[in-house]
Amino acid sequence: MNDVRWLSAEEQEIWRAYLSASVAFSAHIDRQMRQDSGMPMAYYEILVRLSEAPHRRLRMSELADASLSSRSRLSHAVAALERNGWVERRPADGDRRGWVCALTDEGYAALAAAAPGHVTTVREHIFDVLTPEQLASLRDIGLAISAGLRAECAAARAEDEEACGA
């Protein structure tokens, strides 16, 4: 532990400000989504990813990657979305091991109904409180953090696939 690069007071302040904002906003938008549309933010993200995919369907592995979810967590979420009639799972064409998740018309309608509240919350708590310069910086910061985590995320997905027997 002698080689630990401890955070300076200023770095500690930056880290805590980022963490507080991130956790508070994530909790707020999840609460808003549950109150307004009866779905957690994670389900909304899955429906969005499917709505943007060709023919509104993705292989489960692609959906896990796109929604930044582990395969096991995604499988549980998709099961709940299936019970609501919002998605359907079916075997992938020509691949006995693969599965495809498709957005149903009911799922698309649920997404369309949830979108205004989601967008309003994002606009009010991100875009309306930051300057254009801060928004550009936020984009750059998000991209830099994501790029810095790319290798670790790929390794985690590989471990997840191995654990699931994929």
Side-chain angles (χ1 to χ4, degrees):
M1 283 293 196
N2 291 349
D3 59 344
V4 173
R5 294 176 43 220
W6 297 104
L7 301 179
S8 68
E10 182 180 16
E11 290 169 330
Q12 191 70 257
E13 181 183 2
I14 292 166
W15 164 241
R16 288 185 178 158
Y18 165 78
L19 185 61
S20 294
S22 178
V23 169
F25 182 74
S26 293
H28 176 72
I29 198 159
D30 189 67
R31 201 169 34 256
Q32 175 272 318
M33 292 297 300
R34 287 174 190 271
Q35 288 172 352
D36 291 359
S37 62
M39 75 175 83
M41 185 62 204
Y43 292 9
Y44 180 83
E45 183 64 21
I46 291 167
L47 298 180
V48 166
R49 297 302 178 155
L50 289 171
S51 76
E52 295 171 343
H55 310 291
R56 295 184 185 163
R57 66 179 59 124
L58 285 170
R59 291 180 69 89
M60 289 291 286
S61 58
E62 295 170 331
L63 183 54
D65 290 347
S67 61
L68 305 175
S69 182
S70 70
R71 287 190 182 193
S72 60
R73 184 175 296 152
L74 177 70
S75 183
H76 290 296
V78 167
L81 292 168
E82 277 183 303
R83 286 190 296 274
N84 288 342
W86 294 346
V87 301
E88 295 175 340
R89 260 189 285 202
R90 51 182 90 114
D93 294 334
D95 182 356
R96 287 190 260 171
R97 290 179 38 201
W99 286 85
V100 171
C101 185
L103 182 64
T104 64
D105 290 341
E106 294 85 3
Y108 189 79
L111 175 64
H118 169 75
V119 170
T120 298
T121 299
V122 170
R123 177 158 304 286
E124 287 175 353
H125 297 285
I126 303 288
F127 292 92
D128 290 352
V129 299
L130 298 175
T131 66
E133 295 79 15
Q134 289 172 319
L135 289 168
S137 293
L138 183 61
R139 178 194 54 233
D140 294 345
I141 290 165
L143 291 171
I145 291 171
S146 294
L149 289 170
R150 196 164 288 127
E152 286 86 352
C153 291
R157 278 193 300 277
E159 287 175 18
D160 187 38
E161 289 175 17
E162 198 173 293
C164 290

